[in-house]
Amino acid sequence: MSLTADEAAADVAEVLFLEPRDVDHRLDLREQGLDSVRTMELVDRWRRAGVPGVSFVLLAEDRRLERWLELLGELQGETRVDPEPEPRLRTCIATISLGGTLPEKLDAAAAAGFDGVELLDADLRDGPWPAARVAARCAELGLGIDLYQPFRRAEGVDDAEFDAVLARFRGELDVMAEVGASSILVVSNTDADADPDRDRSVRQLATLADAAADRGMTVTYEALAWGTHVGRFTDAWDVVRRTDHPALSVAVDTFHLICRGEDAAALAGVPAGKISLVQVSDAPWRSGGLAEWSRNHRCLPGDGEFDLVGPLAALLAGGYRGALSLELFDPALRRQDPHEVAARGAAALDELVARTRAGAVPAG
């Protein structure tokens, strides 16, 4: 082990200007004076000490020192006595994947064994419950809210409009605080007037990440395949890499990746700690508009023609151990019983992971 628990605890105490014995291991470190800047300082220290995969996003999930010490041990292989079987990956499902009301979707997700949901803003806004009631129901069901989404037209706008973007963004952070979500999905600008200046997008995303970090939250950035200037995963990663903000990470969406001709090679060199979520869906090959294809033909893994094993294998080999989210866009599925679709989805996701870990190669 490169970093011991005592050394890590001493590092935390040092950035807090405390003695190690004065740091409460069970109390949220934010209540003991820790902020995002000091958290990132610890991430940098622990990366230099050889801890693989440590990131701001991982530490932000639970800011108690006792959990951090467990996590550091897990990342270094300390707590794993028997390397088999592989640890189960966290799974979630986007609420857009299911039909019915939001309460029905949450019940279906929990019954199918998902650990969390991606909460669509429209499901919350148009649903029967206020945010606090949704938060309470998720807690009752044991569901986390892995992502709140989407936030559109966030970057690539002129300075005058960006003031309004930031105000709108802060309003969404207020909603997230009420519902108990800690990360928001920002999608690439798809409008014709989007500014191609990538430096402008970098500056604007950094400002949004600052606003999120001030609330103890993070931003997940995703390239929509029909994005005006950021339409491929490699584009989104370039923006995130250049922004270099501890509260900003990138999402991998198998549909957006594959439909634009990218594959596992696009993921090479991307640190696992900078990937906050992997969204999974299959699809038949089609010609025509990318947006129509995405919004109407994203199906269960195994029901389409995409190679999902290749990208997922590359992610796991690169150290990704975050959540896999089933994100389906299929009107036919939304007309079916949400419990049935969620159960089939959970089984399909489990089968995909099993095939990937077994080294399966898709036919053709």
Side-chain angles (χ1 to χ4, degrees):
M1 176 172 167
S2 303
L3 182 75
T4 68
D6 287 344
E7 289 169 341
D11 287 340
V12 171
E14 182 179 338
V15 300
L16 293 175
F17 302 103
L18 296 172
E19 293 296 324
R21 64 177 179 273
D22 295 328
V23 180
D24 190 328
H25 287 219
R26 294 172 295 178
L27 183 66
D28 191 312
L29 287 164
R30 288 173 294 185
E31 298 181 30
Q32 302 178 72
L34 191 74
D35 56 22
S36 60
V37 174
R38 292 176 183 177
T39 302
M40 197 58 212
E41 179 183 338
L42 290 168
V43 169
D44 289 339
R45 283 193 192 191
W46 294 339
R47 285 175 178 169
R48 290 195 301 271
V51 180
V54 65
S55 69
F56 180 92
V57 173
L58 283 178
L59 296 183
E61 290 178 357
D62 186 333
R63 291 181 171 88
R64 295 170 299 139
L65 180 54
E66 64 179 5
R67 175 56 191 144
W68 282 12
L69 299 181
E70 291 175 357
L71 177 64
L72 291 169
E74 292 166 5
L75 291 173
Q76 297 178 95
E78 182 181 76
T79 61
R80 194 168 166 194
V81 177
D82 185 349
E84 296 297 338
E86 290 279 356
R88 177 183 174 275
L89 294 173
R90 178 180 176 84
T91 61
C92 59
I93 186 169
T95 57
I96 188 65
S97 303
L98 303 171
T101 66
L102 181 56
E104 290 169 339
K105 296 180 183 194
L106 297 178
D107 287 348
F114 286 100
D115 301 298
V117 294
E118 283 186 66
L119 180 60
L120 185 71
D121 57 358
D123 277 331
L124 179 61
R125 183 178 61 248
D126 301 335
W129 289 344
R133 179 70 184 95
V134 172
R137 183 56 178 160
C138 286
E140 291 169 2
L141 294 170
L143 289 173
I145 299 177
D146 290 69
L147 202 63
Y148 179 71
Q149 63 124 326
F151 188 79
R152 303 184 187 278
R153 197 171 171 84
E155 43 79 21
V157 302
D158 62 36
D159 292 343
E161 182 181 351
F162 188 70
D163 290 340
V165 168
L166 186 56
R168 181 164 53 91
F169 184 76
R170 286 177 170 146
E172 292 291 74
L173 296 180
D174 291 340
V175 174
M176 290 168 61
E178 288 185 68
V179 82
S182 61
S183 190
I184 184 169
L185 182 70
V186 170
V187 296
S188 61
N189 195 331
T190 61
D191 295 328
D193 65 347
D195 192 324
D197 182 359
R198 192 156 290 183
D199 289 337
R200 178 183 292 273
S201 292
V202 166
R203 291 193 303 272
Q204 291 174 343
L205 280 173
T207 300
L208 297 182
D210 281 339
D214 286 344
R215 303 288 296 272
M217 298 171 181
T218 63
V219 174
T220 298
Y221 186 55
E222 177 183 19
L224 297 183
W226 55 98
T228 310
H229 303 294
V230 178
R232 291 180 170 86
F233 173 80
T234 48
D235 296 326
W237 168 236
D238 179 61
V239 173
V240 169
R241 179 187 59 80
R242 290 172 57 183
T243 305
D244 192 25
H245 195 291
L248 177 67
S249 56
V250 68
V252 176
D253 183 304
T254 60
F255 177 83
H256 295 303
L257 182 82
I258 295 169
C259 80
R260 289 298 303 265
E262 294 183 307
D263 55 21
L267 307 171
V270 181
K274 293 300 288 184
I275 299 172
S276 52
L277 190 70
V278 175
Q279 297 165 319
V280 179
S281 62
D282 206 337
W285 286 105
R286 296 176 63 86
S287 58
L290 292 170
E292 190 278 334
W293 186 9
S294 172
R295 291 167 178 162
N296 295 285
H297 302 284
R298 294 168 64 172
C299 56
L300 291 166
D303 286 354
E305 300 173 294
F306 281 6
D307 169 18
L308 303 180
V309 168
L312 184 54
L315 289 163
L316 296 181
Y320 181 75
R321 296 296 182 270
L324 300 181
S325 179
L326 195 63
E327 190 180 49
L328 311 173
F329 287 78
D330 186 336
L333 289 176
R334 288 195 290 272
R335 290 192 292 269
Q336 298 174 27
D337 182 287
H339 282 79
E340 178 185 341
V341 174
R344 288 168 53 205
L349 204 54
D350 287 345
E351 173 64 18
L352 173 62
V353 172
R355 288 178 57 230
T356 302
R357 284 178 162 165
V361 178

